Amino acid sequence: MEKYNIIRNRGLRMTVKLLGAAFFILHASCFISCSDWDDHYDAAHSSGGSGTTLWQQIQAQSELSDFCKVLQQTKVFRMHKKTTVSYADLLDSGQLFTVVAPKNGTFNADSLLRLTETNQGDSVVEKNFVLNHLSRSTTSLTAEDQQMLMLNSKYVTLGGNTIQGINISQPNCHAKNGILHIADASLPYEYNLYEALCDMADMSAVGAILRLYEWDDFDAEASVSSGLVEGVPVYVDSVVYERNRMLDYIGLIHSEDSTYWVVAPTQAGWQKAWDETSKYFVYDESVKKGDSLQTFWTARALLSDAVFNMTDQKSVDDSLVSVPYINWRRSYVAGKPVYHVFNKPFATGGILAGARRVECSNGVLYKTDEWPFKPEETFFKEIWVEGENIQLITETDTYKKNGKDEPACYTNIRRQVADSISENSYLQIVPADNSKNWGLTFNVKNTLSGCYDICAIILPKSVYDPVNPDVKPCKFKADINYVDEKGKSQKFKCNAGKDIKSDPEKVDTIVLAEAFTFPTCNYDQNNTNVTVKLTCSISPLENTKYAREMYLDCIYLRPKMKNE
């Protein structure tokens, strides 16, 4: 089992509040005088404790001299920019804190001080060390166990004479602006799952993708304003939420208040999976920002089923359900494939078989050498175009009648509860004239640039009239319309353009095109550049041999893997 309590690069912070330094947003971060923020925070001044500040108490302890140096050298970051305000300044102000101060020799002060000489290094020291020892609450050490939220959003456990397992030699030293606990060692820093993926060296390829979707969300309503300067709001205390668009979809693995499991491959396995998966999300040149869409959906495809909210699990040895399962099950239809459920995850062949467990502050990371899923069980799903979903009919062929264009057929939606009928409904296609052929074009959404068997399910007439059914077969042609890499429309004639005949005595699944590969995807697009057209192809001499009326259950695309 691996456990990481080390200094890391700056990761995601859900809530960043200005800690004593006053900033306002005017195209870039600017400063106002320390007296302004002192005035704001002195209202929260503690009336108890000694007449000295936390900083003065820390300075008075010779065994905390290394900690003093780090506090003096570490500057507050605001909106990713280094300010002139140090954490020594904050602890000498009117703001309330609890400080856990580690003794000299229990951490590498020289290394931390060297890091503070650069902006990036300073932010690392701030997040991983300084904020790991400061809390906004004023929390005394008691015999009872309790939790304290640190300024880097980590929770630590207090109880007896320890904090997070570290012995506290001098607890509950009261200052006029808070409480000081002197510790025999520095508090361990534990990655949360997001940080582990972003900052562990062998997982950094995953983290590099996740970081693409970080953004800062300034909350003006939650921030404390001190008025306007030349018409621009000035904030004494700003609240900024550092968010990640990808996590909104795959799971809030940055939250310290949640418990998740994540399974992800290390560098080589991730790159291999990325190279293979990205081929399914190739957009044609006419799609705006196609490369960005390809990156986003490839990441979603690899990560959506890799995150498990532990509040959703019943028995982890029996099965795991990934985060999308809760939404997917609301639309699940019996008889169709089950997605987002992984049985016997620890057994041979399971997604966690042989995975290396890494404890994190908000759950467990399971490292694997390979992406442990199969495309057809995760993102490469069957696509069902239900016949009764008439909104997906994009075109109906017409014929001339009395000089006007009239539809060559009419459609009715029929309901029939039966295991063999998809979603218990089908489309009745009725020719407008018994001697006229018809054509219907169906829109197919969310195709990937992958290989499918493209099928149509034709129902026998006995589903409607089991006593005297019409037993003549249907005869039709089928065309697949799609676009190539340049965005140019292409047409594929199924069965080499020859007629296709149904079996009138059974539910007939007809493969219109076997192992058909789309060169581009239309995933999450509103266009209709992928369609399947069915055209009745009965000649006048065949009117008594074939039926123009058709009961279409659905058109569906069945994923086909290369090795099948």
Side-chain angles (χ1 to χ4, degrees):
M1 181 184 299
E2 300 175 67
K3 192 154 184 169
Y4 289 81
N5 301 314
I6 58 177
I7 289 182
R8 47 173 285 284
N9 294 329
R10 185 177 181 85
L12 186 85
R13 188 183 305 166
M14 275 298 291
T15 306
V16 184
K17 295 196 72 174
L18 180 59
L19 306 177
F23 298 83
F24 64 90
I25 300 174
L26 182 58
H27 305 296
S29 297
C30 302
F31 302 100
I32 57 179
S33 69
C34 288
S35 63
D36 291 333
W37 57 258
D38 277 341
D39 291 343
H40 168 69
Y41 282 106
D42 278 345
H45 205 285
S46 174
S47 60
S50 69
T52 58
T53 65
L54 285 164
W55 172 242
Q56 290 167 340
Q57 288 201 10
I58 294 169
Q59 277 189 311
Q61 300 283 341
S62 60
E63 60 188 354
L64 301 180
S65 60
D66 285 348
F67 190 54
C68 283
K69 293 175 184 178
V70 174
L71 292 174
Q72 288 175 312
Q73 288 299 113
T74 305
K75 299 300 191 291
V76 174
F77 263 71
R78 188 64 195 138
M79 302 293 286
H80 306 295
K81 294 184 179 180
K82 190 175 182 177
T83 74
T84 59
V85 180
S86 74
Y87 280 90
D89 296 329
L90 297 188
L91 296 180
D92 203 31
S93 72
Q95 299 184 57
L96 294 175
F97 294 98
T98 294
V99 180
V100 182
K103 293 179 181 178
N104 293 348
T106 64
F107 60 94
N108 192 332
D110 291 338
S111 175
L112 295 175
L113 292 171
R114 283 194 297 271
L115 282 172
T116 61
E117 294 173 0
T118 66
N119 286 355
Q120 183 178 2
D122 191 289
S123 70
V124 171
V125 176
E126 179 193 39
K127 170 76 175 187
N128 292 69
F129 183 76
V130 174
L131 298 184
N132 202 48
H133 291 84
L134 303 183
S135 174
R136 273 286 193 183
S137 64
T138 51
T139 307
S140 297
L141 201 61
T142 65
E144 296 182 358
D145 285 347
Q146 54 185 317
Q147 282 197 320
M148 178 168 63
L149 178 63
M150 309 310 285
L151 284 177
N152 60 3
S153 299
K154 304 289 183 182
Y155 285 94
V156 297
T157 301
L158 301 81
N161 291 319
T162 66
I163 299 178
Q164 205 66 0
I166 301 300
N167 185 62
I168 304 301
S169 55
Q170 296 184 51
N172 304 332
C173 303
H174 287 262
K176 67 178 183 179
N177 63 334
I179 299 172
L180 171 66
H181 305 291
I182 299 177
D184 288 346
S186 60
L187 298 183
Y189 183 93
E190 292 186 0
Y191 283 124
N192 63 37
L193 286 161
Y194 183 85
E195 294 164 341
L197 292 173
C198 288
D199 299 320
M200 289 167 58
D202 56 351
M203 305 302 296
S204 60
V206 183
I209 294 298
L210 287 174
R211 287 195 182 281
L212 293 177
Y213 303 101
E214 292 180 354
W215 64 289
D216 290 338
D217 181 15
F218 172 67
D219 189 341
E221 292 186 1
S223 301
V224 179
S225 174
S226 64
L228 300 175
V229 174
E230 297 180 354
V232 178
V234 177
Y235 294 94
V236 174
D237 190 2
S238 302
V239 176
V240 175
Y241 299 96
E242 292 186 1
R243 303 189 186 278
N244 188 299
R245 289 181 176 86
M246 186 60 66
L247 301 192
D248 291 340
Y249 300 103
I250 68 172
L252 304 180
I253 58 174
H254 54 354
S255 172
E256 299 287 349
D257 295 322
S258 302
T259 303
Y260 288 92
W261 282 7
V262 174
V263 55
T266 52
Q267 301 285 70
W270 174 263
Q271 190 60 53
K272 177 183 176 182
W274 184 272
D275 293 342
E276 289 297 319
T277 303
S278 62
K279 296 175 184 177
Y280 289 92
F281 296 95
V282 177
Y283 289 85
D284 71 80
E285 292 181 1
S286 69
V287 177
K288 293 182 179 179
K289 298 182 179 180
D291 290 345
S292 297
L293 288 172
Q294 183 182 28
T295 298
F296 177 79
W297 288 114
T298 300
R300 281 278 299 271
L302 291 173
L303 292 171
S304 286
D305 281 301
V307 180
F308 306 91
N309 188 331
M310 299 316 293
T311 61
D312 298 332
Q313 314 307 320
K314 294 181 179 179
S315 174
V316 296
D317 290 327
D318 292 333
S319 65
L320 286 171
V321 296
S322 57
V323 167
Y325 172 76
I326 304 303
N327 289 328
W328 169 83
R329 71 179 179 182
R330 296 190 184 105
S331 59
Y332 170 69
V333 176
K336 293 187 177 180
V338 174
Y339 295 105
H340 315 303
V341 179
F342 303 94
N343 295 318
K344 303 294 181 183
F346 293 101
T348 302
I351 60 171
L352 300 182
R356 300 177 293 283
R357 181 183 175 101
V358 180
E359 296 288 345
C360 296
S361 62
N362 63 343
V364 180
L365 169 64
Y366 285 93
K367 289 189 195 178
T368 59
D369 295 323
E370 301 279 345
W371 187 62
F373 303 96
K374 296 178 181 179
E376 66 272 25
E377 295 175 347
T378 52
F379 66 88
F380 194 24
K381 300 176 180 179
E382 292 186 353
I383 299 173
W384 292 73
V385 181
E386 296 294 336
E388 66 274 11
N389 189 353
I390 58 175
Q391 293 179 341
L392 295 178
I393 299 175
T394 61
E395 185 179 0
T396 302
D397 285 359
T398 61
Y399 73 104
K400 290 291 184 180
K401 183 177 182 181
N402 299 324
K404 296 181 180 180
D405 288 334
E406 297 288 344
C409 66
Y410 299 95
T411 58
N412 299 308
I413 298 172
R414 294 198 178 278
R415 311 293 181 188
Q416 183 72 37
V417 178
D419 292 340
S420 58
I421 300 177
S422 174
E423 299 197 22
N424 299 320
S425 299
Y426 61 91
L427 184 71
Q428 179 190 25
I429 305 171
V430 182
D433 185 301
N434 287 332
S435 63
K436 295 290 189 297
N437 289 329
W438 50 264
L440 287 178
T441 301
F442 295 85
N443 184 23
V444 184
K445 297 182 177 181
N446 293 322
T447 58
L448 302 186
S449 45
C451 184
Y452 297 89
D453 287 340
I454 300 177
C455 310
I457 299 180
I458 312 299
L459 301 177
K461 303 294 174 49
S462 58
V463 299
Y464 180 71
D465 184 358
V467 178
N468 297 300
D470 182 353
V471 292
K472 294 192 295 291
C474 297
K475 186 160 78 80
F476 61 97
K477 297 180 186 294
D479 297 322
I480 300 168
N481 298 280
Y482 62 99
V483 297
D484 61 18
E485 293 89 339
K486 299 292 184 181
K488 184 178 179 180
S489 295
Q490 302 290 339
K491 178 181 287 187
F492 176 82
K493 292 185 175 297
C494 300
N495 197 33
K498 299 177 182 178
D499 292 326
I500 301 168
K501 302 171 185 177
S502 68
D503 187 333
E505 296 183 356
K506 70 174 185 178
V507 175
D508 195 7
T509 299
I510 301 173
V511 179
L512 305 176
E514 185 175 4
F516 180 83
T517 299
F518 291 103
T520 61
C521 76
N522 73 341
Y523 195 79
D524 198 45
Q525 299 294 293
N526 293 323
N527 55 41
T528 56
N529 59 23
V530 177
T531 61
V532 174
K533 182 176 182 180
L534 304 182
T535 304
C536 183
S537 57
I538 301 172
S539 71
L541 297 177
E542 298 174 320
N543 285 341
T544 60
K545 186 177 180 180
Y546 298 102
R548 285 187 169 85
E549 182 182 15
M550 178 186 287
Y551 291 177
L552 177 66
D553 188 6
C554 64
I555 295 168
Y556 86 97
L557 280 63
R558 183 170 59 204
K560 190 93 169 180
M561 302 307 297
K562 293 180 180 179
N563 56 356
E564 294 181 344

